[in-house]
Structure formats: structure tokens, C-alpha cells
Amino acid sequence: MNMKETEADSEMPKAFDPQAIEAGWYARWESDGLFVADAKSHKPKFTICLPPPNITGELHMGHALNHTLQDICARYRRMAGHEVLFLPGTDHAAIATQNVIEKQLAAEGMTKEQLGRDAFRSRVDEWYRDVGETIVSQDRILGISLDWTRLRFTMDPRYVRSVMTAFVAFYERGWIYRAPRIVNWCPHDKSAISDLEIDWQEHNDTLYYIKYPVEGGGEIVVATVRPETMLVDTGVAVNPTDPRYQSLIGKTAILPLVGRKLPIVGDAAVDKDFGTGALKVTPGHDAMDYDIGQRHSLEVINGMHLDGRMNVPGLPYDGLPALEAREKVVADLKAQGFLVKEEPYTHEVGHCDRCHTVIEPLISEQWWLRMETMRDKALAASAAGKVRWHPERYERTYLDWLHGLRDWNIGRQLWLGHRVPVYYCENGHQIVSIEPPRDCAECGSIRLTQDPDVLDTWFSSALWPFATLGWPEETDDLKAFYPNDMNSTAREIINLWVSRMIMTGLEFMGEVPFADVAIHCQVQAADGRRMSKSLGTGVDPRGLIEKYGTDAVRAWAASVAMSSQDVRFDESRVEGYRRFCNKLWNATRLLLSSPGLPPTDAPGILEIQEYLEDRWVVSRLSAASEAVTAGIEGFTFQDSMAAAYGFAWNEFCDWYLEAIKERLRAGDPVAQDVAYFCLDNIFRLLHPFMPFVTEELWARTPGHTDFVMRASWPRVELVDIPAEEAFGQVMSIVEEVRAHRQSAGAPPRGGSLHLESDIDRSVAALAARLAWVELVEEIEGGTALATAPGRVSFPAGVGASQAELKRLKELNRVKEELAKTEARLANPDFRTNAPPDIVKKLEDRAAELRAAIDRLQPTA
RNA sequence: GGGCGGCUAGCUCAGUUGGUAGAGCGCCAGCUUGACAUGCUGGAGGUCGGGGGUUCGAAACCCUCGCCGCCCACCA
């Protein structure tokens, strides 16, 4: 530790310059090992595993916000005496990465099929190495105190082993099975995706009414927005309670254009009020139809190839893309007189959330994971209060989803990701194994092929809180740092990620992965739209950092943090926090300019009896430190920021430093001591929020030989209520005198103030000094004060009539308030029902107002 | 179709057991006051989305309507 070397003993520059000070600190913290967690430490542990950003991504406002909040917690806990592990990592983001690579290949005039699976894989590995830790290393400029020695990637061999272990464990429990189901199929990625990966968009489509003839006479009309799917209809369903159709149940309809015979069945899932109340049943291409089909043993026909083209051999629509097939089907229906009518119809259509292609539900063999047991454990953990949500309301989002949970489609038909560890031998035996098996356990065959599917990216993310620590090995890290303590996330991945971490954590580790889940607010663009690169509404945090400095961006992030409301981005607020940094900078300069030897020990021994302002400021500091701590502990970081800002600027700088300027100039050691004590505490309280400027100023102030990052968390308990009341009186007198001075057009200094003897003399003296007036025993004329018994007069100014105007205005305002107050007091119900202290307060207020009126009356 | 959040000063937001409406930015006016003009001082500006109700008293609690945003949902 050799901080003194670079400590600037020289004159401080007049203005705070973020670029100049932020450069060095991160490297020094890192090289001094301040971010590295010690699993052997005896301190209480505090662990956060940073949500792994997509390796394809760029740092955006959401990361800046989320990572800052976690870093506030990490830095705070270190100072408060915890051994902190704050672990960074990245996620392989299978679909997103595959799309990136495929685009690259396309640019080279190639497809992945031409390249082959193995070459594709090495291409991906190369790309991963290339991109490396670009995304997370951007966290360095944000000052995020991550333990880089423990950087993890979901494709690291050790992590892959965790994923395989989890798969096999689930398989052995009998929870993994392969079955055909309707899945959300992305024809572009040629893969199934889960329900949660669907992005719903409103479409203006057409609802077609189609006439199906019924055998033995008559007809039944169905309505659909996807007429091309009728080619593989295998039934017609009506609601059994619908009198219009009851007589048709059991009969057979004839499918137009195809001629297939369709049983007409009764099923309660059919909505009588939609369309005609009759539903064409296409079990191969609609989830509800599939269920109806299962209930009535209807045939399942797959009518689509995996690339979205129609698969209807023998029909003229075979091989057409869905939309073209739709046009042709409609034209033919119209030509043959089956189309009854068309009407405009607006509805939600699912798109792939990675590539935005329209999803086609189709039947497909998939790997599924049964969730019942894990779901029930998760529910029980919540019931037992093991997971606390902040804000609380998000617990319901989570629980509601859990209650409706269905089996999870964990398979993806991609080339990139964790390959399903299932192998088949030439004799059709199946082997499930963490390591690739050499031969078939049943027949000894060595001709094995691995299942082509890979796992949903979220399957590996679900293991993050313990797979990053080495699970399934019983590592020191795992023992020391599981369970983690908090998880901080955007609300859009509560179900996708948080819920699944909770379930797997309970299943494999027997404990919830974290006790607290913080869901931060969403940052919107200034115009209220979503921030997104494609909309051009994104704001790059790096640009902001260049402009205002990291500390300003972080302080802004903290100030919005966990607001119940999403916030519109307002750059002027960031700028405001840069000015706050400058304020701290200059307050420090003022102190350092005070003559005499500065204290050599860390400030702390206080002689605060003599001066009212000293007693007041440490009392306010006590309140601020409590509020800042409570805000961090209670996950309302915005409250912490507001409390620290308000104290440092409005109380410490505006009032306290102004009050002691003369004492500082005179080199009064008590004033220096108290002021240094306050600054010292301000730096520590603000360090989690604004690490750079606080570290820099800490190094520049006396008595500090170690990093503020390693200082202890302050707990100031010097509350002095009488001092706060007395100083409050000072403030209101000073403010009123200043107001009178301005409206009188009097010069900035000078004038006389007389205060009646029931005002404490120390209050009177301090008020006079701060208001730049002379305290006098007698006063001629002048203006009466409303806030205290007394009068003030100024050397003749230009605006005497303005002063008169001001007096009358004030008199009016006071009279109005008195009228309102008296009216409330006159209400007998008020006196009988309101608590006595409220009544007393109001009576006191009325008395004050009457006194003020007396003083404000013209002197005649 | 369910559910959640929001609607407070021109703008962005605070307002935690109901008890005289706040901050920052912006605006107006005055200050080169020996830390800071990235500053200091003073000021203007709000029927707390509309309407009901509970209460002595509502921005806060209840009902209702209206917008804005989000999440969940196998109605074709």
C-alpha cells in the first residue's frame, strides 16, 4: 500500500475533472487485490453473481443501472465488514450468437451446412475468443468491483460439466423425457423456442369464414386466420352446449380442396361466441387443436416443413411458403364457392424474440423437463419467506407464473450451445452420460451418435449461482459463497431466469440461491419509448461517462434505482451529479486551504460543545448516515442517494461551511476537526455510489493512508435535537432577512437586526452573522420579521417601496393561513377526534401566526 | 381476456403508519461574497388525471371512469 506516492500534495485544480481522476483508481484497486474474495475468510460472506450479459451484446443503460446497483451493495458490504464475492461472467446466448456467425458466413457466401457442424463449432470458439470478455470488461470503466480472477463463461469446460451433470441428474430423477408436442417453431432458426421467448406483436389480418359440407346434407361454417392450415385439418369441433350445432356432433364434414372426412366433435374448449362457434381442428399446427385432437383421437398431420414451407404432398400447395399457400387456398376456396366471407381481424401474432420471424406452431419431437417437484419446492420456499422480493409486488409475478407452470421444452435444434448428453448406438440403445461414453452399456457397440439437439440457453443460466462456484465439485468457493445473497435483475427475466435459478438451487443445493431479489426500474428513452438499438432510442452509457464521468452516471443510476415507476432518461440529471462531484471537490479545497497543521490522525475526536453549528452538523450527519444505510439495506438506493446529496450539499456546504468560514480562515482546529470529520464520513457514505471521486478526495485529505474502499462503514450517532431546533430557527431567520434584503434592494451586506430577548443569544448571533447584519439592542423602524420576534433594517436602498409591497404580501399570506387554521380549530369535531398533539401543534401554529401578524402590521 | 405499475410545478421525479404540498433541471431577478459561475441568494410556478365516497382532516384509504406503460394468457 503506497498511496502516498501518487497523492497530490500539490495544489488541487479548481475544477473537478472526472477523466483526470478516474483513470488510475480502478487499476490500483485491482492490482491491490481489493476485488478478490477469500473463501477462507472468517468474515460473514456476501455474494452476488452478476447476471451474465450476452456475449454478443454491448453495454447499455440497463447494464449500467443494474451493475451499479449491485456494485453499491458489494462495496457497501465490504466496508461493513463482509467478505464479498462479486462474480462476473458471460452467457453464450445460443440463438443470438448463432445468428451472428451465420451472418458472417452469409457475407462470405457460405452456410453453416456447407461448413459442417465441427468446423462451425471451431468457428464459434474462435469468435468467442475474439469477443472474449469485451462485454464484461466494459464494467471496468463503470467501476464495478468484480472479482476478475473468477470470471466465468457458460461454455467453459467446467461450466459445461455442470450443465451436463444437471441434465443427467434430472434424467435420473425421471423428469426428462422426449415426446412430440406442439412447439413454437422458428422457421428461420429452424428450432423450437420456449413460450417465454416469444415476442407478441399486433397484426392486422383477415378472418376467413369457410363452409365445410356435412355428409348427408347441410354444412358447417368455420372461421380462421390461417386458412392454409385447413389442408391438414382432421376434425371440426363445436361446444357441446351450443344448440346450433348439437345435432351435428357425431356427423362427418368434408374438407374442401382436399376431400378428407372430418369427424365433428363436441369439446368444451370451443368458444361459442367466437366466429361461428365452430372450430376447424388442426392438431398438427395449433396447441389447443392438439389437445382437442388428443381428447377425441383425431389424426395428427404435419403439414409444414421445418423451413416454413407447406408439406402437403399431392396437393398443389405443396412446397409453397405459408403465406403464398394462404393466398392460393383462399383463391381456390373463393372459386369453388366455399369462402363465405372475409373480415378484418386484429390479433397478436408470436414472433421469435431473437430473429423476429413469425412463429409457426407445429408438432415436433422435443426434450422436456417436468417441473412439478421443483415448482412445489419453490412455492414452499416462498411460503416460508425464504425469498424476499424488492419491490414486494414482484413476488406475485413470480408466484402466478409458477402456479401455471408447464413442462419446459429444454431442447433446441441449433448448432450452438450445450449438446444434449444423450447418445444412441447402432442398435438403437440410448445412453445418457456426463462424459461421452466409449461404448454402449447394453450391447458394447462403439458406433455411437450424439443427439443433435442442444439445450435452451436458459437451462445453463438456471445453474448460475452455483455452477459458477464449481458445482458439482465441493469446492471451497461453493462451500463459502453458496447461497448467494442477492440477485438484481430487470423484471422481464423474472420467469425466464430468476424463477429457474430458485428451482434448480433448491433442487441441487437444497437452499434458495439468494435471499433477496431486487428488480430495478426500466429506463425509457426521453420520449417514453423503449430504449433500443433498433429504434435508435438507445443511450450509450460510455458516451455519458465521457461527458460527465462515471461517478455522475452511477449516482444518477442510484437515484432512479428501484423507483416503482419506470423512468424516462433525463440527461440533465446526470449533469447534476457531475456538479455534485465538483461541489465535493471544492468543499475539500476549502478545507485544505485552512491554515495550520491539519489533523494527522483520521478525524474523530470532537470538541463540539462550544459552537451551535458544530453540534448541528454532526447531528444532521447522524441522520444522513442512518438514511443512507437504511436505503442500501432496504433496496431503495434512490433514498440513500437523496439523503447523501441533501446532507452534503444543502446542509454541509450551504450552511455549515458558510457558518465556519471565518473559523477556518483563522485556523480554528475545532472547526477543522468537525469539518474533516464530516467530509471523511461523506466520502465513506458516498463511496459505494461514487467510488472514484471519493477515493481521490479521500487520498487528498489528511489522516488517510489506506483506500476509502477499504475504510469502515460509518455509523454516526451524535443526534442533538436541541441543536437541530436552534439551528432551524437560525435558518428561518437568515432566510427571511435575506428575502427582505433583496426586496428592499439593499446591498448584499450591512444592516441591523434586532431580536427580542426570548430568542437565544447564540441563535441570534449566528443568524446575524450568516445574514450579514449587525445584531443590535435597539432598532428604529425597519421591517418586522414573520419567523421570529424582531425587526430588520437596511441602509437606504433603491427599493423601499418593494419592501413595503413584500411586507403586505407576506401579511396577506399569513392572514390567509391563520384563517384556515382557525377554521379547523373552530370545528368541534376536530377537537374531539384529532389526537391531542395534533391539536396542540395547530394551536401553536395559530399563536405563531397571530404574533407574525402583529409584527407585520404597519407601525403607524 | 386476466394482472400489475403510473398519472404531483414547464420537464424528470420524491412524498413509508392520513395531520401546514417537495427536490433537481428549466424560468425570472440580484450577486466576479477569498471552495466552487459546474457557484451563491431570492422569487415565480401545483384545484396532486376526472368524478364519487370514508374521515374532524385525503396527494395518500375505498369505488368508478379516463388515458400511458409493462407482465401473463393454447379464442381459432
Side-chain angles (χ1 to χ4, degrees):
Chain A
M1 178 66 232
N2 50 1
M3 282 183 50
K4 281 290 173 193
E5 269 176 30
T6 50
E7 181 179 319
D9 294 323
S10 57
E11 199 79 346
M12 276 176 84
K14 189 169 162 185
F16 159 74
D17 174 8
Q19 259 71 34
I21 63 151
E22 284 173 9
W25 285 115
Y26 197 91
R28 293 176 63 186
W29 290 325
E30 198 177 346
S31 64
D32 275 42
L34 269 59
F35 303 155
V36 180
D38 176 9
K40 297 267 194 278
S41 165
H42 295 295
K43 294 182 197 170
K45 308 295 185 297
F46 185 83
T47 309
I48 308 175
C49 292
L50 188 83
N54 285 0
I55 195 161
T56 58
E58 276 177 51
L59 191 77
H60 55 63
M61 280 322 260
H63 295 129
L65 171 62
N66 191 23
H67 296 189
T68 295
L69 301 185
Q70 292 171 75
D71 193 47
I72 288 167
C73 294
R75 287 176 181 271
Y76 162 71
R77 292 289 169 180
R78 282 191 201 97
M79 293 175 76
H82 287 75
E83 185 64 30
V84 170
L85 170 60
F86 189 12
L87 182 145
T90 47
D91 184 276
H92 63 285
I95 294 183
T97 304
Q98 178 163 322
N99 285 338
V100 169
I101 306 287
E102 282 191 277
K103 260 183 211 158
Q104 288 179 359
L105 289 175
E108 298 163 21
M110 232 197 307
T111 64
K112 67 175 192 298
E113 285 76 14
Q114 288 170 329
L115 194 64
R117 196 153 181 162
D118 287 338
F120 182 80
R121 191 180 165 162
S122 44
R123 174 101 185 203
V124 168
D125 287 344
E126 184 189 328
W127 186 79
Y128 279 146
R129 274 196 299 278
D130 241 29
V131 180
E133 50 190 80
T134 310
I135 173 77
V136 269
S137 61
Q138 290 173 24
D139 274 331
R140 291 167 196 269
I141 60 169
L142 264 172
I144 311 299
S145 57
L146 292 159
D147 184 349
W148 296 103
T149 66
R150 287 179 169 88
L151 182 67
R152 298 287 183 259
F153 177 42
T154 48
M155 293 304 267
D156 290 340
R158 276 182 69 185
Y159 200 100
V160 172
R161 198 179 158 79
S162 304
V163 175
M164 297 301 122
T165 304
F167 184 97
V168 173
F170 284 138
Y171 188 86
E172 284 167 353
R173 285 165 172 73
W175 296 349
I176 285 183
Y177 63 99
R178 193 163 160 82
R181 287 277 188 89
I182 292 285
V183 296
N184 308 299
W185 187 262
C186 173
H188 172 265
D189 294 328
K190 297 196 188 60
S191 175
I193 62 173
S194 78
D195 293 342
L196 291 172
E197 292 166 301
I198 290 186
D199 176 25
W200 293 93
Q201 294 175 19
E202 196 171 280
H203 279 219
N204 293 313
D205 275 331
T206 305
L207 188 60
Y208 300 93
Y209 289 76
I210 306 168
K211 182 162 61 179
Y212 287 12
V214 175
E215 261 185 0
E219 60 189 38
I220 186 162
V221 178
V222 299
T224 179
V225 285
R226 297 196 303 152
E228 70 278 12
T229 63
M230 70 175 284
L231 301 171
V232 288
D233 279 2
T234 57
V236 172
V238 296
N239 193 296
T241 65
D242 192 335
R244 292 173 296 179
Y245 299 118
Q246 268 168 350
S247 62
L248 291 177
I249 295 174
K251 292 191 172 173
T252 302
I254 306 295
L255 183 60
L257 309 182
V258 180
R260 186 178 299 122
K261 293 187 177 189
L262 309 176
I264 299 173
V265 300
D267 195 289
V270 179
D271 181 353
K272 286 183 282 191
D273 300 324
F274 188 90
T276 60
L279 172 72
K280 63 188 265 313
V281 184
T282 320
H285 292 277
D286 183 281
M288 187 172 95
D289 290 13
Y290 180 80
D291 290 344
I292 293 174
Q294 292 295 101
R295 286 196 283 271
H296 302 278
S297 307
L298 299 177
E299 193 186 349
V300 180
I301 306 177
N302 186 341
M304 191 176 276
H305 295 290
L306 297 182
D307 60 1
R309 287 178 305 109
M310 300 306 291
N311 175 20
V312 284
L315 290 172
Y317 319 97
D318 190 38
L320 293 178
L323 285 182
E324 286 178 32
R326 179 177 305 175
E327 281 174 29
K328 189 161 166 54
V329 165
V330 170
D332 292 348
L333 286 171
K334 199 179 278 177
Q336 298 176 30
F338 291 112
L339 189 66
V340 178
K341 65 171 174 174
E342 306 172 37
E343 57 187 35
Y345 182 60
T346 302
H347 64 143
E348 301 273 296
V349 174
H351 292 246
C352 175
D353 73 356
R354 298 291 183 185
C355 72
H356 310 296
T357 307
V358 172
I359 291 302
E360 296 289 350
L362 53 75
I363 196 91
S364 165
E365 282 275 326
Q366 294 291 334
W367 290 102
W368 298 88
L369 176 57
R370 286 187 228 280
M371 304 300 289
E372 292 86 358
T373 309
M374 286 193 282
R375 190 251 332 261
D376 292 345
K377 283 185 189 171
L379 289 171
S382 276
K386 298 254 172 73
V387 186
R388 295 181 295 265
W389 294 76
H390 313 275
E392 272 178 38
R393 71 186 127 90
Y394 288 116
E395 181 171 25
R396 262 196 60 187
T397 305
Y398 161 73
L399 291 179
D400 285 353
W401 185 74
L402 275 188
H403 279 121
L405 196 55
R406 293 180 294 163
D407 289 353
W408 179 7
N409 176 5
I410 53 172
R412 295 290 180 276
Q413 289 67 48
L414 303 172
W415 282 24
L416 198 163
H418 299 108
R419 194 93 173 256
V420 170
V422 176
Y423 305 82
Y424 309 98
C425 82
E426 58 192 334
N427 299 317
H429 300 133
Q430 178 176 308
I431 307 120
V432 178
S433 162
I434 295 171
E435 299 293 343
R438 301 191 52 141
D439 49 31
C440 175
E442 284 183 56
C443 66
S445 164
I446 54 162
R447 299 179 65 89
L448 303 175
T449 49
Q450 186 171 5
D451 192 283
D453 282 8
V454 299
L455 292 166
D456 181 1
T457 301
W458 293 105
F459 184 93
S460 53
S461 308
L463 313 174
W464 193 245
F466 47 92
T468 51
L469 301 176
W471 183 86
E473 308 304 321
E474 283 272 326
T475 60
D476 289 343
D477 273 8
L478 190 63
K479 281 182 261 181
F481 299 115
Y482 192 93
N484 304 174
D485 291 273
M486 76 174 282
N487 182 263
S488 172
T489 317
R491 61 169 173 260
E492 62 194 17
I493 54 174
I494 289 174
N495 299 327
L496 223 36
W497 189 46
V498 181
S499 64
R500 287 162 175 173
M501 285 190 288
I502 294 172
M503 288 189 279
T504 62
L506 284 164
E507 184 60 32
F508 292 126
M509 297 297 298
E511 267 183 277
V512 293
F514 28 72
D516 291 288
V517 182
I519 305 296
H520 57 74
C521 73
Q522 208 81 46
V523 184
Q524 302 169 335
D527 60 6
R529 285 188 297 168
R530 196 182 166 78
M531 264 200 189
S532 93
K533 215 159 95 179
S534 54
L535 287 174
T537 48
V539 174
D540 186 348
R542 285 169 294 184
L544 287 175
I545 286 171
E546 273 171 39
K547 232 165 140 184
Y548 304 110
T550 296
D551 288 322
V553 173
R554 289 176 57 119
W556 164 79
S559 78
V560 300
M562 310 284 290
S563 319
S564 57
Q565 178 173 241
D566 289 340
V567 289
R568 295 180 174 206
F569 180 67
D570 179 3
E571 189 167 329
S572 72
R573 285 182 68 174
V574 182
E575 193 186 348
Y577 286 107
R578 183 189 59 180
R579 288 210 291 263
F580 181 50
C581 294
N582 186 63
K583 192 72 184 173
L584 297 172
W585 184 268
N586 278 290
T588 307
R589 280 182 67 215
L590 172 67
L591 255 171
L592 290 171
S593 72
S594 176
L597 285 176
T600 48
D601 291 330
I605 301 160
L606 297 171
E607 297 292 337
I608 54 170
Q609 295 311 309
E610 191 177 347
Y611 293 94
L612 172 58
E613 63 266 29
D614 294 355
R615 289 163 54 210
W616 171 77
V617 79
V618 296
S619 183
R620 297 306 303 150
L621 171 64
S622 306
S625 75
E626 195 190 324
V628 173
T629 308
I632 300 175
E633 299 250 0
F635 299 92
T636 52
F637 308 101
Q638 64 276 22
D639 296 345
S640 301
M641 199 59 227
Y645 182 100
F647 172 71
W649 196 319
N650 305 123
E651 297 183 316
F652 179 68
C653 291
D654 288 351
W655 285 99
Y656 184 69
L657 289 182
E658 290 305 323
I660 64 164
K661 262 184 181 170
E662 286 173 29
R663 292 167 61 199
L664 284 180
R665 225 168 278 148
D668 171 11
V670 176
Q672 289 176 348
D673 196 31
V674 174
Y676 275 125
F677 177 75
C678 289
L679 260 193
D680 176 282
N681 280 286
I682 287 169
F683 296 154
R684 285 189 282 161
L685 289 169
L686 279 171
H687 180 258
F689 303 85
M690 311 194 319
F692 294 102
V693 68
T694 50
E695 194 69 90
E696 176 76 18
L697 293 174
W698 179 266
R700 287 174 179 273
T701 41
H704 297 141
T705 52
D706 197 354
F707 295 101
V708 67
M709 185 178 164
R710 207 144 52 180
S712 65
W713 186 252
R715 218 176 123 167
V716 186
E717 289 171 308
L718 295 165
V719 176
D720 185 338
I721 298 299
E724 294 207 21
E725 280 172 357
F727 201 87
Q729 208 172 15
V730 170
M731 291 195 285
S732 53
I733 294 168
V734 170
E735 280 165 353
E736 195 185 356
V737 172
R738 282 172 182 160
H740 284 305
R741 183 194 296 285
Q742 292 223 1
S743 54
R749 298 181 182 190
S752 311
L753 172 66
H754 170 75
L755 290 168
E756 303 292 343
S757 58
D758 44 348
I759 296 293
D760 186 273
R761 285 301 95 181
S762 66
V763 168
L766 185 54
R769 186 150 64 76
L770 290 174
W772 295 102
V773 286
E774 189 188 350
L775 193 61
V776 295
E777 292 298 318
E778 301 279 332
I779 198 161
E780 280 298 316
T783 313
L785 298 179
T787 54
R791 308 184 71 79
V792 64
S793 78
F794 301 105
V798 285
S801 62
Q802 270 196 356
E804 179 60 11
L805 219 67
K806 160 108 181 158
R807 186 187 61 77
L808 286 173
K809 209 172 154 187
E810 177 67 7
L811 183 59
N812 248 335
R813 193 194 63 76
V814 172
K815 277 182 171 167
E816 269 175 33
E817 195 188 329
L818 180 62
K820 270 196 274 182
T821 308
E822 282 181 330
R824 287 177 66 190
L825 284 167
N827 182 349
D829 291 334
F830 175 71
R831 287 189 177 278
T832 45
N833 294 322
D837 57 313
I838 295 292
V839 177
K840 171 85 164 53
K841 219 169 126 186
L842 214 58
E843 278 173 342
D844 291 350
R845 180 67 189 155
E848 262 175 54
L849 291 169
R850 281 189 209 101
I853 288 171
D854 284 347
R855 293 196 297 274
L856 290 168
Q857 293 295 353
T859 31

